Amino acid sequence: DARVTQTPRHKVTEMGQEVTMRCQPILGHNTVFWYRQTMMQGLELLAYFRNRAPLDDSGMPKDRFSAEMPDATLATLKIQPSEPRDSAVYFCASGLVLGTGPYNEQFFGPGTRLTVL
Amino acid sequence: GNSVTQMEGPVTLSEEAFLTINCTYTATGYPSLFWYVQYPGEGLQLLLKATKADDKGSNKGFEATYRKETTSFHLEKGSVQVSDSAVYFCALMGGRRALTFGSGTRLQVQP
């Protein structure tokens, strides 16, 4: 049963600490998305990659957030330094997009719940 | 830019009641439209989709019709169950192939 996995599932840290969240997309998917969910803002797209190349990170605060795909099986989202306002659930999703062809479903991971004290 | 507006929750219904959750959108071009569902403590799951005007998406008794003339994609179910209690998100996908979500509507179904 192929699924997107995310680690850790929960993270509590103190302001100023570095946080790294990891995502393993479904094997064969070429597009990876990072979303953030908060009560105030709802679900927001932070960044996404296609074939490991960043396509759009306009939703991400550049001064403290960074997203990478070291290889096709791993995507990372890093916050340094973390702040209380970063507290949220961070979702990774993956999908297969071929050119301008029809939409293929995005599969979401279970999320990482981050609390910054 | 693209945006999705959906009705505020929570929506509280008795079991077997009829459900409607309204969703309207603003987009350039011809987006694809989706409903996702999120159960407590879980990620989002695709519930149904429609990729062009007048398409009807359906799954698990839920339906939504892509109405270009009213820019709407309302979610309906004829008879809800307690197990349908969740948060429902309307979303669209434009040319970037990334999803723009509505704010979500919490549904609570009471026995």
Tab-separated table of all heavy atoms in Angstrom, chain B residues 16-39:
chain	number	residue	atom	x	y	z
B	16	GLU	N	-28.615	10.679	8.656
B	16	GLU	CA	-29.556	10.526	7.540
B	16	GLU	C	-30.067	11.850	6.990
B	16	GLU	O	-30.875	11.858	6.062
B	16	GLU	CB	-30.734	9.612	7.911
B	16	GLU	CG	-30.282	8.196	8.269
B	16	GLU	CD	-31.455	7.268	8.544
B	16	GLU	OE1	-32.611	7.703	8.399
B	16	GLU	OE2	-31.208	6.108	8.892
B	17	ALA	N	-29.575	12.963	7.499
B	17	ALA	CA	-29.967	14.264	6.947
B	17	ALA	C	-29.243	14.508	5.633
B	17	ALA	O	-28.249	13.860	5.315
B	17	ALA	CB	-29.648	15.373	7.943
B	18	PHE	N	-29.765	15.483	4.880
B	18	PHE	CA	-29.170	15.883	3.605
B	18	PHE	C	-28.083	16.923	3.873
B	18	PHE	O	-28.258	17.835	4.670
B	18	PHE	CB	-30.246	16.470	2.685
B	18	PHE	CG	-29.744	16.826	1.314
B	18	PHE	CD1	-29.716	15.865	0.318
B	18	PHE	CD2	-29.294	18.106	1.022
B	18	PHE	CE1	-29.258	16.168	-0.954
B	18	PHE	CE2	-28.824	18.423	-0.239
B	18	PHE	CZ	-28.811	17.456	-1.228
B	19	LEU	N	-26.969	16.770	3.161
B	19	LEU	CA	-25.834	17.663	3.355
B	19	LEU	C	-25.581	18.490	2.103
B	19	LEU	O	-25.573	17.960	0.988
B	19	LEU	CB	-24.565	16.854	3.655
B	19	LEU	CG	-23.234	17.616	3.601
B	19	LEU	CD1	-23.117	18.562	4.791
B	19	LEU	CD2	-22.060	16.656	3.568
B	20	THR	N	-25.360	19.774	2.310
B	20	THR	CA	-24.809	20.642	1.272
B	20	THR	C	-23.730	21.503	1.896
B	20	THR	O	-23.964	22.132	2.927
B	20	THR	CB	-25.876	21.575	0.659
B	20	THR	OG1	-26.910	20.813	0.065
B	20	THR	CG2	-25.245	22.474	-0.394
B	21	ILE	N	-22.565	21.514	1.289
B	21	ILE	CA	-21.498	22.445	1.673
B	21	ILE	C	-21.186	23.262	0.432
B	21	ILE	O	-20.768	22.718	-0.599
B	21	ILE	CB	-20.233	21.729	2.166
B	21	ILE	CG1	-20.557	20.868	3.392
B	21	ILE	CG2	-19.161	22.755	2.514
B	21	ILE	CD1	-19.363	20.070	3.913
B	22	ASN	N	-21.378	24.566	0.538
B	22	ASN	CA	-21.190	25.437	-0.613
B	22	ASN	C	-19.719	25.768	-0.844
B	22	ASN	O	-18.948	25.961	0.104
B	22	ASN	CB	-21.971	26.738	-0.427
B	22	ASN	CG	-23.468	26.519	-0.514
B	22	ASN	OD1	-23.926	25.532	-1.083
B	22	ASN	ND2	-24.238	27.426	0.054
B	23	CYS	N	-19.365	25.845	-2.115
B	23	CYS	CA	-18.010	26.214	-2.516
B	23	CYS	C	-18.091	27.032	-3.794
B	23	CYS	O	-18.740	26.613	-4.761
B	23	CYS	CB	-17.161	24.972	-2.749
B	23	CYS	SG	-15.552	25.298	-3.511
B	24	THR	N	-17.456	28.193	-3.796
B	24	THR	CA	-17.316	28.979	-5.010
B	24	THR	C	-15.846	29.303	-5.211
B	24	THR	O	-15.052	29.283	-4.266
B	24	THR	CB	-18.124	30.290	-4.956
B	24	THR	OG1	-17.715	31.036	-3.802
B	24	THR	CG2	-19.610	30.022	-4.860
B	25	TYR	N	-15.485	29.610	-6.451
B	25	TYR	CA	-14.075	29.809	-6.730
B	25	TYR	C	-13.871	31.009	-7.661
B	25	TYR	O	-14.782	31.449	-8.351
B	25	TYR	CB	-13.460	28.553	-7.362
B	25	TYR	CG	-13.998	28.247	-8.741
B	25	TYR	CD1	-13.382	28.753	-9.885
B	25	TYR	CD2	-15.135	27.451	-8.901
B	25	TYR	CE1	-13.889	28.485	-11.143
B	25	TYR	CE2	-15.643	27.179	-10.159
B	25	TYR	CZ	-15.020	27.704	-11.275
B	25	TYR	OH	-15.523	27.437	-12.524
B	26	THR	N	-12.659	31.497	-7.642
B	26	THR	CA	-12.197	32.514	-8.582
B	26	THR	C	-10.900	32.005	-9.179
B	26	THR	O	-9.978	31.619	-8.437
B	26	THR	CB	-11.943	33.856	-7.876
B	26	THR	OG1	-13.139	34.294	-7.244
B	26	THR	CG2	-11.485	34.920	-8.862
B	27	ALA	N	-10.845	31.974	-10.494
B	27	ALA	CA	-9.642	31.452	-11.148
B	27	ALA	C	-9.569	31.963	-12.570
B	27	ALA	O	-10.586	32.275	-13.186
B	27	ALA	CB	-9.641	29.924	-11.137
B	28	THR	N	-8.363	32.010	-13.075
B	28	THR	CA	-8.180	32.292	-14.502
B	28	THR	C	-8.133	30.957	-15.236
B	28	THR	O	-7.718	29.927	-14.682
B	28	THR	CB	-6.878	33.060	-14.730
B	28	THR	OG1	-5.796	32.319	-14.146
B	28	THR	CG2	-6.930	34.432	-14.084
B	29	GLY	N	-8.598	30.981	-16.444
B	29	GLY	CA	-8.568	29.756	-17.233
B	29	GLY	C	-9.616	28.752	-16.785
B	29	GLY	O	-10.693	29.123	-16.302
B	30	TYR	N	-9.265	27.483	-16.905
B	30	TYR	CA	-10.213	26.406	-16.631
B	30	TYR	C	-9.621	25.449	-15.603
B	30	TYR	O	-9.005	24.442	-15.946
B	30	TYR	CB	-10.541	25.674	-17.933
B	30	TYR	CG	-11.071	26.605	-18.993
B	30	TYR	CD1	-10.225	27.161	-19.946
B	30	TYR	CD2	-12.416	26.970	-19.010
B	30	TYR	CE1	-10.714	28.032	-20.902
B	30	TYR	CE2	-12.904	27.841	-19.960
B	30	TYR	CZ	-12.050	28.375	-20.906
B	30	TYR	OH	-12.525	29.238	-21.847
B	31	PRO	N	-9.834	25.779	-14.324
B	31	PRO	CA	-9.216	24.941	-13.298
B	31	PRO	C	-9.918	23.602	-13.155
B	31	PRO	O	-11.060	23.436	-13.584
B	31	PRO	CB	-9.414	25.776	-12.019
B	31	PRO	CG	-10.681	26.532	-12.282
B	31	PRO	CD	-10.644	26.866	-13.759
B	32	SER	N	-9.229	22.663	-12.536
B	32	SER	CA	-9.860	21.446	-12.056
B	32	SER	C	-10.296	21.681	-10.615
B	32	SER	O	-9.665	22.447	-9.884
B	32	SER	CB	-8.877	20.273	-12.119
B	32	SER	OG	-8.503	20.010	-13.454
B	33	LEU	N	-11.366	21.037	-10.204
B	33	LEU	CA	-11.950	21.267	-8.877
B	33	LEU	C	-11.993	19.974	-8.078
B	33	LEU	O	-12.202	18.886	-8.655
B	33	LEU	CB	-13.356	21.852	-9.013
B	33	LEU	CG	-13.454	23.172	-9.782
B	33	LEU	CD1	-14.914	23.564	-9.973
B	33	LEU	CD2	-12.696	24.269	-9.065
B	34	PHE	N	-11.836	20.114	-6.766
B	34	PHE	CA	-11.705	18.939	-5.900
B	34	PHE	C	-12.410	19.170	-4.570
B	34	PHE	O	-12.544	20.304	-4.102
B	34	PHE	CB	-10.216	18.664	-5.594
B	34	PHE	CG	-9.354	18.585	-6.815
B	34	PHE	CD1	-8.781	19.732	-7.349
B	34	PHE	CD2	-9.136	17.376	-7.442
B	34	PHE	CE1	-8.001	19.683	-8.494
B	34	PHE	CE2	-8.354	17.308	-8.583
B	34	PHE	CZ	-7.789	18.458	-9.106
B	35	TRP	N	-12.795	18.067	-3.975
B	35	TRP	CA	-13.155	18.033	-2.575
B	35	TRP	C	-12.232	17.032	-1.890
B	35	TRP	O	-12.107	15.886	-2.330
B	35	TRP	CB	-14.615	17.632	-2.348
B	35	TRP	CG	-15.558	18.776	-2.522
B	35	TRP	CD1	-16.317	19.068	-3.617
B	35	TRP	CD2	-15.859	19.793	-1.552
B	35	TRP	NE1	-17.064	20.201	-3.393
B	35	TRP	CE2	-16.806	20.666	-2.134
B	35	TRP	CE3	-15.440	20.043	-0.242
B	35	TRP	CZ2	-17.327	21.770	-1.459
B	35	TRP	CZ3	-15.948	21.139	0.428
B	35	TRP	CH2	-16.880	21.989	-0.182
B	36	TYR	N	-11.595	17.527	-0.808
B	36	TYR	CA	-10.771	16.679	0.038
B	36	TYR	C	-11.444	16.564	1.401
B	36	TYR	O	-12.144	17.471	1.845
B	36	TYR	CB	-9.374	17.274	0.229
B	36	TYR	CG	-8.405	16.983	-0.888
B	36	TYR	CD1	-8.439	17.724	-2.071
B	36	TYR	CD2	-7.458	15.974	-0.767
B	36	TYR	CE1	-7.552	17.458	-3.098
B	36	TYR	CE2	-6.560	15.703	-1.795
B	36	TYR	CZ	-6.615	16.445	-2.951
B	36	TYR	OH	-5.740	16.178	-3.966
B	37	VAL	N	-11.171	15.441	2.084
B	37	VAL	CA	-11.703	15.233	3.422
B	37	VAL	C	-10.545	14.946	4.372
B	37	VAL	O	-9.567	14.279	3.997
B	37	VAL	CB	-12.748	14.083	3.438
B	37	VAL	CG1	-12.158	12.770	2.937
B	37	VAL	CG2	-13.348	13.897	4.823
B	38	GLN	N	-10.653	15.505	5.563
B	38	GLN	CA	-9.622	15.293	6.585
B	38	GLN	C	-10.275	14.770	7.853
B	38	GLN	O	-11.060	15.473	8.496
B	38	GLN	CB	-8.870	16.588	6.879
B	38	GLN	CG	-7.713	16.427	7.852
B	38	GLN	CD	-6.968	17.731	8.095
B	38	GLN	OE1	-7.536	18.810	8.011
B	38	GLN	NE2	-5.678	17.623	8.394
B	39	TYR	N	-9.943	13.533	8.201
B	39	TYR	CA	-10.422	12.950	9.457
B	39	TYR	C	-9.459	13.347	10.575
B	39	TYR	O	-8.285	13.636	10.313
B	39	TYR	CB	-10.544	11.441	9.321
B	39	TYR	CG	-11.553	11.027	8.275
B	39	TYR	CD1	-11.150	10.600	7.012
B	39	TYR	CD2	-12.919	11.101	8.534
B	39	TYR	CE1	-12.069	10.251	6.040
B	39	TYR	CE2	-13.841	10.748	7.568
B	39	TYR	CZ	-13.414	10.330	6.327
B	39	TYR	OH	-14.326	10.001	5.360
